[in-house]
Amino acid sequence: MIRIIKALARSFVELVVLLVATSGLSSAADEARGSIKGTVIDVQSKQPLSGVIVIVKDTRLGAYCDAQGNFAIKDIAVGTYSLTFRLVGYAPQARTDVIVRPGRITFLNVALREASIQTEEVEVDAGAFSRLGGPTISTSTFNSEEVRRAPGSGGDVSRVLDVLPSVAQVDSRENGLAVRGGSPMENAFFIDHIQVPNINHFPNLGNSAGAISLLNIDFVDDVSLQAGGFGASYGNRLSSVVNVAFREGNRDEFDGQIDFNASGFGGGIEGPLPGFNGSFMISGRRSYLDLLVEGLGTGVAPRFGNVQGKVVLDLDNDNRLTFLDLWGRDDFTRDKNDAIDDEEEFYGQVVNTQHTAGLTWRNLWGEGGFSMTSLSYSSLDRTDEWDEVDTDLREIQRHTDEGSFKLRNTNFYQAFDSHSFEFGVDAAVSNVDFDYYFAQDTSATTGAVIPEFTLKRDLSTSRFGGFLSWMWKIVPTLELSTSVRADYFEWNEESTLAPRISMAWQLSPLLTIKSAGGLYFQNLPLALLAQSPDRETLATPQAIHYLLGMEYMLEVDTKVSVEGYYKTYDDFPLDPQDPFHFPVDNITLESDIGNSSKLVSGGQARSYGVELLLQKKLQKDLYGLISASFFRSEYKDLTGIWRSRSYDNQYLLSVIGGYKPDKLWEFSARFTVAGGRPYTPFDVNASRNAGFGVLNANRIMDERFPVYHALNLRVDRRFNFASSGLIVYLDVWNAYNQENIAYYEWDRKKGVVEAEQQWSVLPVLGVEFEF
């Protein structure tokens, strides 16, 4: 496969050189024009704001918002702009990275927040960092252009977020978010108010990680990560929440987009709904490396594809319906001959189909508040079949058929000028059919025989929850939010009550102090619970968050934040037959699924650290981000010893920067260094005597992989024509080909320990055509 990718890289480089050499053909860039339209609303009530002054910086262009909060700025030369939004009584805001494209309309959805500090003597500059409603903490947001151009991300929103100091460096071949010492199981994804179990191709069972995102980044308006202290409207997660906002389709005209890069090809179309006040977007994408491999008659490559869409329909000024649909299918097959050639122990296939569809109703109550109500259905159908190369005996046969209906309702009400409330309910009803077979195995830790395991089970369960939050603006510069959340999980008939509190104190227009604390619960994955009747009584794991931080605006486009956190866990499951390890972290590698041993509750863990984030938004030609963190993540095993969790890098440093010399070229880079993750080494002598890998029970999670570091480089070139545009980019991952280790494995045939490498140097080249 590497030979194929390198050949593609050479072809794409030749294409880039050709396009650069013929850049005179895009001289229409100086004459090409586009337009900007948008809507401005109140960040809390969602009501449209009229009279907002909209200015395009460094030009004489601008507009006013009408009674519905709409504005339009027409006939703008293509390029990158910053816009400012001002309204008396509201904090001014700047929107950076606004791309005007040839013959197209760029839509902006802007939310303004009431000003905390009023001043008549000094005009407050518009800040480039928007704030959510309420005293939020540990939240970082990236706009659509920041997601698209991020070096080393390949348009994967999870890989964009792993530049943040809260996210551990795990494995470049996967995109799981391990936030503040937790596992990817502890993170939730929401798209436009709808929870999506997993947004990735080849998703892991039991958590939110996968190989590569299936989301079309052309649909993404912004993406944010709440790394801790999130509000009571989010339940059933211990560590973090990712919110992805899809933009609306073009309500005025039909637009199209085609893209092609190393991972696949695809396209999309959007436009107004004929005869209705609304819009639609739909796109599809498919990988193609499998087609090349099939044509060459050798090698192995995954096959995956997706279809997704969004429809928005305004029933009237106060009521809107939004339909969201995501569908993906993955297939990876390795036959016996390929397994022998690649020196693999097993051959077989993985086939996965996932789907989420949902409808959201937004109702504005008037000046007082609004409600959002979503009904969605998510399904997963996955089959794994793997046979041993030497014996042709079946090692694993696993089929999971899962479906879940979810209801989510959130409401906001502004009772008085200084008091507001958020409340709502949510529910989930799930049905899962498990058909598992795992051959007899031997524990690599204890040497005990793990008997053959078969599971045939069809189960149904449900979860119900509700929450209430009270936001009190004590004085204009001091906000307090207290909330409580209650949940009931039918599986173990357990009810939970989770109080939470957060505070934000704006000491000056530049400096804000924030703090938060709260109790969080999360149900264990059904794939883990269903394997033994003994697990039906396991307690629901919980975590307590303590957070304190500050934000300081160095410039209107530059912000520095420092946060400290301490997080404790309780009631994690532990395995008395393997008392040294932490099964929940093993779920990430799917190694505990197929083990029916009795688990006990009461497992404890903790994580704590300090994080620094310095971010400069693009105002003219430069942008960048520096993040650093020092942290520890540990668990207490059944012998009473505290050990490092799988995601305990101890320190992280990421530097990302970009330069746009003009409207056509853009250069960016990202450098990351992270402490080595902990692991348990093999006992070489015992492994050779046993004929399989045996872990050293005296050194559990006591060794560390070498320090991880990598450099990613990217260059973008735009070609603008009268009514269309072309982007050609080259994104080189791990540019100096650092050999970062993913894990160590025992080679049974050679009787030695071998290192499995993460991505070597990988050129990701692509073309995006908009028309």
Side-chain angles (χ1 to χ4, degrees):
M1 188 192 304
I2 297 298
R3 294 194 300 270
I4 297 173
I5 294 176
K6 289 182 177 179
L8 289 171
R10 288 193 296 270
S11 300
F12 269 93
V13 169
E14 293 173 357
L15 176 61
V16 172
V17 172
L18 175 62
L19 289 172
V20 172
T22 60
S23 59
L25 296 176
S26 66
S27 60
D30 294 331
E31 293 79 24
R33 321 291 284 186
S35 60
I36 302 174
K37 291 186 177 183
T39 303
V40 183
I41 62 174
D42 182 286
V43 69
Q44 290 191 312
S45 70
K46 309 303 179 188
Q47 289 290 328
L49 297 176
S50 62
V52 178
I53 303 172
V54 186
I55 299 295
V56 183
K57 295 188 66 175
D58 299 324
T59 74
R60 296 184 177 182
L61 301 174
Y64 286 93
C65 288
D66 61 20
Q68 300 302 320
N70 299 317
F71 69 91
I73 306 173
K74 301 179 179 180
D75 196 33
I76 310 174
V78 298
T80 304
Y81 296 91
S82 293
L83 277 67
T84 61
F85 299 84
R86 296 180 181 275
L87 181 64
V88 174
Y90 286 83
Q93 185 183 138
R95 287 292 296 267
T96 62
D97 282 311
V98 179
I99 307 296
V100 175
R101 298 162 295 176
R104 297 191 68 169
I105 303 171
T106 298
F107 290 90
L108 299 179
N109 293 307
V110 180
L112 298 185
R113 180 183 178 86
E114 290 188 4
S116 299
I117 298 179
Q118 301 288 350
T119 176
E120 296 179 0
E121 291 80 10
V122 180
E123 181 180 358
V124 179
D125 288 328
F129 298 89
S130 59
R131 285 185 60 194
L132 300 175
T136 56
I137 191 171
S138 302
T139 301
S140 300
T141 302
F142 296 94
N143 63 40
S144 58
E145 183 63 12
E146 289 170 328
V147 172
R148 187 201 66 81
R149 70 180 178 216
S153 69
D156 187 322
V157 296
S158 296
R159 286 186 166 89
V160 173
L161 294 172
D162 71 14
V163 74
L164 295 172
S166 305
V167 182
Q169 178 60 48
V170 181
D171 186 341
S172 63
R173 301 170 307 171
E174 285 197 348
N175 61 6
L177 294 178
V179 178
R180 290 183 172 172
S183 79
M185 182 195 80
E186 302 171 31
N187 177 70
F189 283 97
F190 289 84
I191 301 178
D192 291 347
H193 199 258
I194 292 174
Q195 185 173 1
V196 180
N198 198 305
I199 64 169
N200 301 302
H201 287 293
F202 296 102
N204 286 352
L205 288 176
N207 68 55
S208 60
I212 186 173
S213 173
L214 61 79
L215 300 185
N216 182 352
I217 62 168
D218 185 56
F219 285 7
V220 174
D221 194 23
D222 63 58
V223 56
S224 65
L225 169 68
Q226 293 181 263
F230 45 90
S233 61
Y234 299 105
N236 201 34
R237 282 301 180 271
L238 292 176
S239 284
S240 53
V241 175
V242 174
N243 272 292
V244 180
F246 274 9
R247 63 180 178 84
E248 290 188 36
N250 193 329
R251 294 189 175 217
D252 297 330
E253 61 189 23
F254 292 96
D255 291 329
Q257 180 256 355
I258 298 173
D259 65 271
F260 179 85
N261 59 35
S263 66
F265 62 93
I269 189 171
E270 62 183 273
L273 289 176
F276 296 95
N277 186 13
S279 65
F280 76 93
M281 299 189 300
I282 187 170
S283 72
R285 186 171 182 80
R286 191 200 189 283
S287 62
Y288 64 85
L289 290 180
D290 60 295
L291 300 176
L292 296 178
V293 167
E294 183 178 344
L296 294 173
T298 183
V300 178
R303 179 170 68 242
F304 54 90
N306 60 74
V307 177
Q308 54 204 278
K310 178 178 178 177
V311 177
V312 178
L313 175 63
D314 289 343
L315 303 178
D316 53 42
N317 291 336
D318 295 330
N319 292 277
R320 170 177 294 178
L321 295 178
T322 301
F323 176 73
L324 177 73
D325 193 271
L326 301 170
W327 178 89
R329 181 175 173 81
D330 319 311
D331 185 349
F332 178 79
T333 301
R334 177 191 290 125
D335 63 29
K336 186 174 181 178
N337 291 331
D338 288 326
I340 294 173
D341 292 341
D342 296 336
E343 298 183 345
E344 297 287 348
E345 293 186 36
F346 304 101
Y347 66 95
Q349 68 171 351
V350 178
V351 180
N352 178 83
T353 303
Q354 62 195 88
H355 183 217
T356 294
L359 183 68
T360 300
W361 169 38
R362 189 201 69 180
N363 173 240
L364 302 182
W365 300 347
E367 296 294 332
F370 70 94
S371 66
M372 300 277 288
T373 304
S374 300
L375 180 64
S376 63
Y377 177 75
S378 297
S379 64
L380 171 69
D381 190 313
R382 171 170 167 163
T383 299
D384 302 69
E385 295 178 346
W386 296 99
D387 299 333
E388 192 172 9
V389 170
D390 293 338
T391 64
D392 290 325
L393 294 177
R394 179 59 47 92
E395 182 72 16
I396 296 175
Q397 182 169 313
R398 177 172 57 189
H399 179 247
T400 303
D401 187 0
E402 179 177 356
S404 178
F405 285 97
K406 293 186 176 72
L407 171 70
R408 184 170 185 237
N409 167 259
T410 58
N411 309 272
F412 175 84
Y413 179 65
Q414 184 80 43
F416 310 101
D417 290 340
S418 58
H419 297 273
S420 58
F421 298 90
E422 188 178 18
F423 56 94
V425 295
D426 51 62
V429 178
S430 302
N431 185 84
V432 190
D433 183 10
F434 297 107
D435 188 354
Y436 288 180
Y437 168 79
F438 289 78
Q440 178 177 297
D441 202 355
T442 305
S443 171
T445 306
T446 65
V449 174
I450 301 175
E452 180 181 272
F453 173 73
T454 301
L455 173 67
K456 291 182 179 293
R457 189 171 186 182
D458 186 358
L459 63 88
S460 297
T461 189
S462 58
R463 179 183 58 81
F464 304 93
F467 71 94
L468 173 64
S469 301
W470 168 45
M471 284 80 73
W472 179 24
K473 188 175 290 187
I474 303 173
V475 294
T477 58
L478 180 61
E479 293 181 88
L480 178 70
S481 173
T482 60
S483 60
V484 64
R485 179 177 181 89
D487 287 279
Y488 172 76
F489 187 36
E490 181 189 14
W491 179 269
N492 56 6
E493 298 182 345
E494 184 174 1
S495 298
T496 59
L497 194 66
R500 302 172 191 179
I501 186 170
S502 61
M503 180 274 293
W505 186 12
Q506 190 171 2
L507 299 179
S508 75
L510 303 179
L511 176 63
T512 302
I513 304 295
K514 297 183 176 183
S515 65
L519 180 60
Y520 299 82
F521 292 89
Q522 181 176 348
N523 306 137
L524 291 167
L526 290 177
L528 182 71
L529 294 174
Q531 296 180 69
S532 170
D534 297 327
R535 300 183 180 184
E536 296 185 11
T537 58
L538 288 174
T540 301
Q542 60 178 283
I544 302 178
H545 296 192
Y546 306 92
L547 305 99
L548 178 64
M550 57 80 69
E551 292 181 356
Y552 188 78
M553 299 297 301
L554 299 174
E555 300 287 346
V556 294
D557 61 350
T558 307
K559 178 180 72 173
V560 61
S561 64
V562 179
E563 284 191 11
Y565 66 91
Y566 189 85
K567 182 166 55 174
T568 63
Y569 295 91
D570 202 356
D571 280 334
F572 271 125
L574 295 175
D575 185 355
Q577 296 184 27
D578 186 2
F580 311 116
H581 281 102
F582 203 51
V584 170
D585 285 354
N586 290 343
I587 291 175
T588 301
L589 303 176
E590 301 183 4
S591 59
D592 196 73
I593 298 177
N595 179 358
S596 61
S597 61
K598 181 178 180 179
L599 301 179
V600 296
S601 298
Q604 297 179 357
R606 64 192 180 195
S607 62
Y608 48 91
V610 178
E611 301 173 350
L612 169 71
L613 179 63
L614 174 65
Q615 187 175 9
K616 181 189 183 308
K617 295 282 189 176
L618 175 66
Q619 287 276 39
K620 187 176 181 181
D621 53 10
L622 292 173
Y623 59 89
L625 180 149
I626 299 175
S627 70
S629 63
F630 297 90
F631 69 98
R632 290 304 309 272
S633 177
E634 302 166 316
Y635 70 93
K636 188 177 182 180
D637 71 13
L638 278 176
T639 67
I641 298 176
W642 284 94
R643 305 182 187 276
S644 296
R645 289 187 68 177
S646 298
Y647 313 100
D648 182 35
N649 289 108
Q650 296 190 331
Y651 64 88
L652 301 165
L653 173 66
S654 289
V655 180
I656 186 171
Y659 174 57
K660 298 187 72 170
D662 54 39
K663 65 179 67 176
L664 300 179
W665 287 95
E666 182 171 356
F667 305 90
S668 58
R670 171 185 170 182
F671 176 73
T672 300
V673 59
R677 293 182 294 111
Y679 73 96
T680 302
F682 287 102
D683 185 322
V684 175
N685 292 329
S687 297
R688 287 173 176 167
N689 292 333
F692 58 86
V694 177
L695 299 178
N696 191 330
N698 296 318
R699 302 179 64 188
I700 301 295
M701 302 302 283
D702 197 40
E703 289 287 331
R704 289 187 175 271
F705 294 111
V707 172
Y708 172 95
H709 55 94
L711 174 67
N712 303 313
L713 302 173
R714 177 164 174 147
V715 58
D716 289 63
R717 174 63 158 92
R718 291 181 179 269
F719 297 85
N720 298 312
F721 308 102
S723 59
S724 60
L726 182 71
I727 304 174
V728 178
Y729 64 88
L730 168 62
D731 191 2
V732 182
W733 298 15
N734 194 10
Y736 54 80
N737 200 26
Q738 170 64 21
E739 294 184 351
N740 294 305
I741 296 175
Y743 56 86
Y744 294 110
E745 62 181 356
W746 182 259
D747 190 312
R748 294 188 181 186
K749 295 183 178 179
K750 298 179 181 178
V752 297
V753 177
E754 292 194 342
E756 179 71 17
Q757 304 292 334
Q758 300 186 39
W759 287 122
S760 59
V761 60
L762 177 65
V764 179
L765 301 109
V767 176
E768 301 173 6
F769 181 57
E770 300 175 331
F771 56 94

Short mmCIF file of all heavy atoms in Angstrom, two decimals, residues 3-16 763 765:
data_model
loop_
_atom_site.label_atom_id
_atom_site.label_comp_id
_atom_site.label_asym_id
_atom_site.label_seq_id
_atom_site.Cartn_x
_atom_site.Cartn_y
_atom_site.Cartn_z
N ARG A 3 3.70 1.71 -1.45
CA ARG A 3 4.13 2.00 -2.82
C ARG A 3 3.06 2.74 -3.59
O ARG A 3 3.33 3.66 -4.38
CB ARG A 3 4.50 0.69 -3.53
CG ARG A 3 5.72 -0.01 -2.95
CD ARG A 3 6.21 -1.08 -3.92
NE ARG A 3 5.20 -2.07 -4.19
CZ ARG A 3 5.05 -3.17 -3.47
NH1 ARG A 3 5.84 -3.40 -2.42
NH2 ARG A 3 4.12 -4.06 -3.77
N ILE A 4 1.82 2.34 -3.38
CA ILE A 4 0.70 2.99 -4.09
C ILE A 4 0.59 4.45 -3.65
O ILE A 4 0.44 5.36 -4.47
CB ILE A 4 -0.61 2.25 -3.80
CG1 ILE A 4 -0.53 0.82 -4.35
CG2 ILE A 4 -1.80 2.98 -4.39
CD1 ILE A 4 -1.70 -0.05 -3.97
N ILE A 5 0.69 4.68 -2.32
CA ILE A 5 0.57 6.04 -1.81
C ILE A 5 1.70 6.92 -2.35
O ILE A 5 1.49 8.07 -2.73
CB ILE A 5 0.57 6.03 -0.27
CG1 ILE A 5 -0.70 5.34 0.24
CG2 ILE A 5 0.66 7.44 0.29
CD1 ILE A 5 -0.76 5.19 1.74
N LYS A 6 2.93 6.37 -2.38
CA LYS A 6 4.05 7.17 -2.90
C LYS A 6 3.86 7.50 -4.38
O LYS A 6 4.18 8.59 -4.83
CB LYS A 6 5.36 6.40 -2.68
CG LYS A 6 5.78 6.35 -1.21
CD LYS A 6 7.11 5.63 -1.03
CE LYS A 6 7.55 5.66 0.42
NZ LYS A 6 8.84 4.94 0.61
N ALA A 7 3.34 6.53 -5.13
CA ALA A 7 3.07 6.81 -6.55
C ALA A 7 2.03 7.90 -6.70
O ALA A 7 2.15 8.79 -7.55
CB ALA A 7 2.62 5.52 -7.25
N LEU A 8 0.99 7.82 -5.88
CA LEU A 8 -0.02 8.88 -5.90
C LEU A 8 0.58 10.22 -5.53
O LEU A 8 0.24 11.25 -6.10
CB LEU A 8 -1.16 8.53 -4.95
CG LEU A 8 -2.08 7.39 -5.37
CD1 LEU A 8 -3.01 7.02 -4.23
CD2 LEU A 8 -2.88 7.77 -6.60
N ALA A 9 1.48 10.20 -4.54
CA ALA A 9 2.11 11.45 -4.12
C ALA A 9 2.88 12.09 -5.26
O ALA A 9 2.80 13.30 -5.49
CB ALA A 9 3.03 11.20 -2.92
N ARG A 10 3.65 11.27 -6.00
CA ARG A 10 4.41 11.83 -7.13
C ARG A 10 3.47 12.42 -8.18
O ARG A 10 3.72 13.50 -8.72
CB ARG A 10 5.27 10.73 -7.76
CG ARG A 10 6.46 10.33 -6.89
CD ARG A 10 7.45 9.49 -7.68
NE ARG A 10 6.87 8.23 -8.12
CZ ARG A 10 6.92 7.12 -7.40
NH1 ARG A 10 7.53 7.11 -6.23
NH2 ARG A 10 6.38 6.00 -7.86
N SER A 11 2.36 11.75 -8.43
CA SER A 11 1.40 12.26 -9.41
C SER A 11 0.79 13.57 -8.95
O SER A 11 0.64 14.51 -9.74
CB SER A 11 0.30 11.22 -9.65
OG SER A 11 0.83 10.01 -10.14
N PHE A 12 0.48 13.65 -7.67
CA PHE A 12 -0.12 14.88 -7.17
C PHE A 12 0.88 16.02 -7.15
O PHE A 12 0.53 17.17 -7.42
CB PHE A 12 -0.69 14.65 -5.76
CG PHE A 12 -2.12 14.22 -5.77
CD1 PHE A 12 -2.45 12.87 -5.75
CD2 PHE A 12 -3.14 15.15 -5.79
CE1 PHE A 12 -3.77 12.47 -5.77
CE2 PHE A 12 -4.45 14.75 -5.80
CZ PHE A 12 -4.78 13.40 -5.79
N VAL A 13 2.15 15.72 -6.83
CA VAL A 13 3.16 16.78 -6.86
C VAL A 13 3.29 17.33 -8.27
O VAL A 13 3.39 18.54 -8.48
CB VAL A 13 4.51 16.24 -6.34
CG1 VAL A 13 5.63 17.24 -6.62
CG2 VAL A 13 4.42 15.95 -4.86
N GLU A 14 3.29 16.43 -9.26
CA GLU A 14 3.33 16.90 -10.64
C GLU A 14 2.13 17.78 -10.96
O GLU A 14 2.25 18.79 -11.66
CB GLU A 14 3.37 15.69 -11.58
CG GLU A 14 4.66 14.88 -11.47
CD GLU A 14 4.60 13.61 -12.30
OE1 GLU A 14 3.54 13.36 -12.90
OE2 GLU A 14 5.61 12.87 -12.34
N LEU A 15 0.95 17.41 -10.41
CA LEU A 15 -0.25 18.22 -10.63
C LEU A 15 -0.10 19.59 -9.98
O LEU A 15 -0.46 20.61 -10.57
CB LEU A 15 -1.47 17.50 -10.07
CG LEU A 15 -2.81 18.26 -10.14
CD1 LEU A 15 -3.17 18.57 -11.59
CD2 LEU A 15 -3.91 17.44 -9.47
N VAL A 16 0.45 19.60 -8.77
CA VAL A 16 0.64 20.88 -8.09
C VAL A 16 1.58 21.77 -8.89
O VAL A 16 1.33 22.96 -9.08
CB VAL A 16 1.19 20.65 -6.66
CG1 VAL A 16 1.58 21.98 -6.03
CG2 VAL A 16 0.16 19.95 -5.81
N PRO A 763 2.36 11.51 2.81
CA PRO A 763 1.87 12.67 2.08
C PRO A 763 0.37 12.54 1.81
O PRO A 763 -0.09 11.53 1.30
CB PRO A 763 2.66 12.63 0.77
CG PRO A 763 2.97 11.17 0.56
CD PRO A 763 3.08 10.56 1.93
N LEU A 765 -2.36 14.46 -0.21
CA LEU A 765 -2.53 15.50 -1.22
C LEU A 765 -3.96 15.51 -1.70
O LEU A 765 -4.63 14.49 -1.73
CB LEU A 765 -1.58 15.25 -2.39
CG LEU A 765 -0.10 15.21 -1.99
CD1 LEU A 765 0.42 13.81 -2.08
CD2 LEU A 765 0.70 16.15 -2.87
#
